[in-house]
Each structure stands twice: as C-alpha cells, then as structure tokens.
Amino acid sequence: MLNPWRLRLLSLLESLGTVRAVAETLHLSASTVSQQLTVLESETRATLLERTGRRVRLTRQGSLLARRGREILDRMAEAEAELRMLGDEPIGTVRVGAFQSAIQPLAVPAVTRLADSHPQLQVELVESEPHESGPALRTGELDVIITTTDYVEFPWGRDLEIVPLGTDPVVLVLPQAHPLARRRAVDLAACADETWTGDRTGSYMAELTRRLCRQSGFEPRTASRFSNYLLQLGEVESGRAVTLLPALAVPAGLAVATCELTTPVHRNVTIVVRSGSAPRAAVDAVVDALLDHPEVPALTAPGEDQG
C-alpha cells in the first residue's frame, strides 16, 4: 500500500527539484528524505529516481506517480474534511497566501467575516508573493492564494482553478515635488535618467518593471530593492527614487504622486485553488468570502471597463 507521507515527499521533489529543498521545506534532514524515497521505490517496485552523483531527478515513472500522488493527497484531504463536517458547516484549517498589497483590503476583511460566520473554520493567512504562492499552492503548503496570473514564469495548468477578483492599474509613483507629478499620464521613457527603487530581483514587480522600462528604451538604474512596498514608498517620499507599483499597494495619505502610464498596464488579481472533483466546504467558504469583499477603489471588478 502506498504511504501518503512518502507520496508527498515525491510530489515535493518534482516541484522543488532537489532533495535538499524538500528537506528544508519539511524541516527534515536530506538523508531522511532520501531514505524515505528509497523505501517508496521498494513499495512501488518501480524505479522512481535517476541518481547522478549527488543529484537525483525523477524518471517517467517517478513523474507519473508524483502527479497522481498530488491527486491522491488532495482526495484524502477532501475525505477528511467531509468526515469532520457537521452538516454543511465548514470546519478545519485553510491556509491562505496573499501578495502584500491584497492582505489589508481583501484578505483581512474576509478572514474577519469568516471568524463570525464559520467559527469552526480556522484560516491561516500568510504573505506570499506571486513568484512564491503558485509553487506553494501546487505542493500543498497553501490551499488558497490571491495572486496574479500575469506572472508568466509560473506554469498555470489545468490542475489549478482560477477565479477572477478584478484588475488594478500599475502606476508610476513619484515624489510630490517631481516635475512629472502634475501630469495625469506619463510616458515611461521620460524616466530614463531617474533613480529607481523596486522589489526583489526575480519577483513579479521587479520583472514587470524591467520589462516595461526596456520596452521604453532604457535599463532602470535601481539603487534599492525592498520586498516591503512601504519601504519603496519611503524612498519615493524622501525624493531619492521613483518606482512602479500596483495601485493597491499605494495607500492614501503619503507624500507621493501617482500617475497613469500613457500605455496603460493592468494587473489581473485572481483567487487560485487546486482543482478537484469533490467540493471542499472549507475552501469554498474562503473563496466566497474573498469574492464578497468591500469596495476597493483601486480594484476594478471583472468585466468592468478599465479605462
């Protein structure tokens, strides 16, 4: 009989790529992970791994079992949730990952309402940026994510269900005294000589900023990088830099100016869950609460005019 724990190790190995990464994710030693994968090969009587020196990669049989293993683990979680249900009342724990600018306007109100409407449902909320949340959802570390499917570096496959939340514009953020701050819309090429602040290298906004600047004919001269948008905004507020941010990330009351881009760019904000044939009451309750969010001025509902 297949062991669920070992199936999860194999699925994580396919997603994360190395035994060390699996071990770090689960707070185990690499030797323990390797030993358990060897046991799984014995249980299945199949060659699941191809070893080259100190590295391993999944064989075709290993890749097949990893994909099927994720399906099995999801079905088991669904069955456990159904057994714990009292009538139709959602109970259990749902792990929600949201990018930074969605936490306060979207995630926190949903979690607050769920605490009143479904007291037996526990929601764990964590910050998870688009380059992090997709892989975490696929490996089972998260159950629901608020992200953007515009992050094309992640393979959004049929194993994931995407629910649109809306769109927000990407805006140029300038010091209030900046000569361009009086304009409603700015051609990004006008900022070729500016000093920039931005997100971490490899993140969604860092890659988007670099791409848009290159399309405008220049490479941004980035003097600082912060994963925290408020730190980026502090750099702008002090007059040391300019930046591009989604409108959701710019709170009111700061000494900055925001300008649209002459060629508008919008971010598609979505809820994503793992697909499954059986309904999961707890996950469905969280998705419904996120969709029933209070009005957010920066967010345009799906299907509404973005202009």
Side-chain angles (χ1 to χ4, degrees), residues 114-193:
L114 286 167
D116 293 330
S117 61
H118 301 297
Q120 297 187 77
L121 177 62
Q122 180 180 348
V123 180
E124 295 180 3
L125 179 59
V126 297
E127 179 188 344
S128 189
E129 295 301 318
H131 65 287
E132 303 165 325
S133 59
L137 177 66
R138 186 163 274 155
T139 60
E141 295 176 65
L142 296 173
D143 301 305
V144 179
I145 61 174
I146 305 175
T147 186
T148 175
T149 48
D150 300 337
Y151 185 66
V152 296
E153 285 78 3
F154 180 73
W156 302 100
R158 289 182 296 176
D159 59 324
L160 302 176
E161 179 183 347
I162 297 170
V163 182
L165 260 176
T167 61
D168 67 332
V170 174
V171 296
L172 177 65
V173 189
L174 302 165
Q176 282 186 334
H178 195 284
L180 297 174
R182 297 178 183 177
R183 301 184 185 180
R184 184 185 67 82
V186 174
D187 185 338
L188 206 53
C191 298
D193 296 328

